[in-house]
Amino acid sequence: MELRVLQYFLAMARENSISGAAEFLHLSQPTLSRQLKELEDELGKQLFIRGNRRITLTEEGMILRKRAEEVVELIKKTENEITASDDMLAGDIEIGAGETDGNRFLIKAMKAMQKDYPLVHFHIISGDRAAITEAIDRGSIDFGIVFGNTDFSKYDSIPVPYEDTWGVLMRREASLAQKDRITAEDLVDKPLIISRQAFQNLEFAKFFHCEQEKLNIAATYSLLFNGSLMVEEGLGYAICFDKLINVSGDSNLCFRPLEPKMKSHMSIIWKKYQVFSKPTQKFLQKLQEIDTYE
């Protein structure tokens, strides 16, 4: 499977037509159609459903598009790293991160890096732990910020000197809003809105003294902004970190910490034995000095 053919395939998937892709690629339609047919023969799968004016991806085609995009992006990233000038540090650094106020430590290191090397650019990709570690494993991001313990057989890490506080986001008129702290007993019969991976945190499971299936989980979220909208509309109580949603001023939401207190520590991780580009090497040095940015 040639890279050139994958790029042809991605152009057809994007344009939803052979004629549109052929015009974009400056190829004839018969040539492009032949390349597509040869790719389908090579894989033994139909990749497109051909209509009168448009083509749509089959299930196998959607799988190939996802992987082809990753391959093309990784090759582009590799080419940029190899051809980077020795005299002037420039390039892109990709970082996966969840929602946490602790990202300020990361951003301060980014600011210090750009002060010294203004041609280095940063890209933060939001995601939960599973998405971040998967992206690190396949090489599409350089670093990730994750909560909880690190698998030291796969990753190297730097601890972040910050801990997130767990609590409950709720409407100000909710009955539990009268309390300073919220216990497991307060929540056992309430409709809860939790992050998709909350119960992978063992301390979180211990807090409730029961399995997730025994709680009234009304909804789950990946990004807390969506969770906060559910709370505003009265769907339930969101279990989340502090300082992520504005609850000051005229907000109709409030946050109350859990009792007993529950905190999560963070780490910046990267693939073990990873060969870094020049920009990522320099950024790693900034990260290793992260406690100086407090």
Side-chain angles (χ1 to χ4, degrees):
M1 189 183 305
E2 298 181 30
L3 175 62
R4 171 179 54 83
V5 177
L6 284 181
Q7 292 171 325
Y8 292 170
F9 165 77
L10 288 174
M12 287 186 281
R14 183 178 60 250
E15 299 294 332
N16 288 320
S17 76
I18 293 178
S19 60
E23 182 178 354
F24 174 80
L25 295 167
H26 305 292
L27 294 173
S28 68
Q29 291 188 42
T31 298
L32 197 54
S33 295
R34 185 177 69 255
Q35 293 283 358
L36 172 60
K37 182 64 170 60
E38 290 176 357
L39 179 60
E40 289 180 320
D41 290 343
E42 179 182 351
L43 296 174
K45 296 289 184 179
Q46 182 179 352
L47 301 174
F48 290 99
I49 299 173
R50 296 153 178 82
N52 292 333
R53 293 174 176 265
R54 295 170 60 86
I55 57 176
T56 56
L57 289 170
T58 63
E59 183 177 349
E60 290 78 9
M62 287 188 283
I63 294 172
L64 180 60
R65 180 178 63 183
K66 181 176 186 298
R67 297 307 180 193
E69 288 172 343
E70 293 171 357
V71 168
V72 170
E73 182 61 30
L74 188 57
I75 290 174
K76 179 181 177 182
K77 180 180 174 69
T78 303
E79 288 175 344
N80 290 339
E81 291 174 354
I82 291 174
T83 59
S85 170
D86 290 331
D87 300 324
M88 184 175 296
L89 202 65
D92 298 295
I93 297 177
E94 312 267 350
I95 304 167
E99 293 180 293
T100 167
D101 192 59
N103 285 339
R104 292 180 186 275
F105 288 94
L106 176 71
I107 294 167
K108 288 176 181 178
M110 291 163 56
K111 181 180 178 181
M113 179 77 174
Q114 281 205 325
K115 182 179 179 181
D116 295 336
Y117 307 103
L119 296 180
V120 173
H121 306 288
F122 294 91
H123 309 278
I124 293 184
I125 295 90
S126 297
D128 55 23
R129 185 187 182 97
I132 290 170
T133 53
E134 180 184 345
I136 289 177
D137 290 345
R138 67 172 180 259
S140 59
I141 63 175
D142 302 297
F143 302 97
I145 288 188
V146 296
F147 301 98
N149 297 326
T150 299
D151 182 353
F152 292 108
S153 67
K154 296 178 64 178
Y155 311 107
D156 287 322
S157 70
I158 297 172
V160 175
Y162 180 87
E163 289 183 324
D164 267 309
T165 299
W166 283 95
V168 182
L169 186 69
M170 67 188 87
R171 294 167 63 97
R172 288 189 182 276
E173 66 264 26
S175 58
L176 294 183
Q178 305 305 313
K179 304 190 64 171
D180 293 330
R181 295 186 177 276
I182 308 299
T183 66
E185 289 71 24
D186 293 327
L187 298 171
V188 69
D189 61 341
K190 299 293 190 296
L192 302 181
I193 303 166
I194 66 172
S195 67
R196 291 190 306 164
Q197 293 192 313
F199 270 77
Q200 292 188 14
N201 183 322
L202 296 179
E203 293 183 2
F204 191 87
K206 290 178 182 177
F207 174 82
F208 282 102
H209 314 296
C210 67
E211 297 177 352
Q212 180 175 347
E213 290 74 18
K214 295 182 180 179
L215 297 173
N216 179 11
I217 307 297
T220 64
Y221 64 85
S222 294
L223 298 175
L224 183 56
F225 177 74
N226 291 328
S228 71
L229 294 181
M230 297 180 202
V231 174
E232 284 188 357
E233 294 300 325
L235 187 60
Y237 295 77
I239 311 298
C240 60
F241 290 142
D242 195 5
K243 299 182 181 179
L244 296 182
I245 299 295
N246 180 22
V247 294
S248 62
D250 58 358
S251 171
N252 65 342
L253 301 179
C254 63
F255 179 90
R256 299 290 182 266
L258 297 178
E259 180 65 42
K261 291 181 181 178
M262 191 171 72
K263 295 179 178 289
S264 285
H265 65 274
M266 303 162 50
S267 298
I268 298 172
I269 67 171
W270 61 94
K271 188 187 296 185
K272 210 171 185 67
Y273 310 118
Q274 179 171 334
V275 178
F276 285 117
S277 65
K278 295 180 182 69
T280 52
Q281 285 176 354
K282 290 292 185 181
F283 186 58
L284 181 57
Q285 292 176 14
K286 297 293 184 185
L287 291 174
Q288 289 169 334
E289 301 164 0
I290 197 167
D291 57 346
T292 67
Y293 303 131
E294 292 186 69

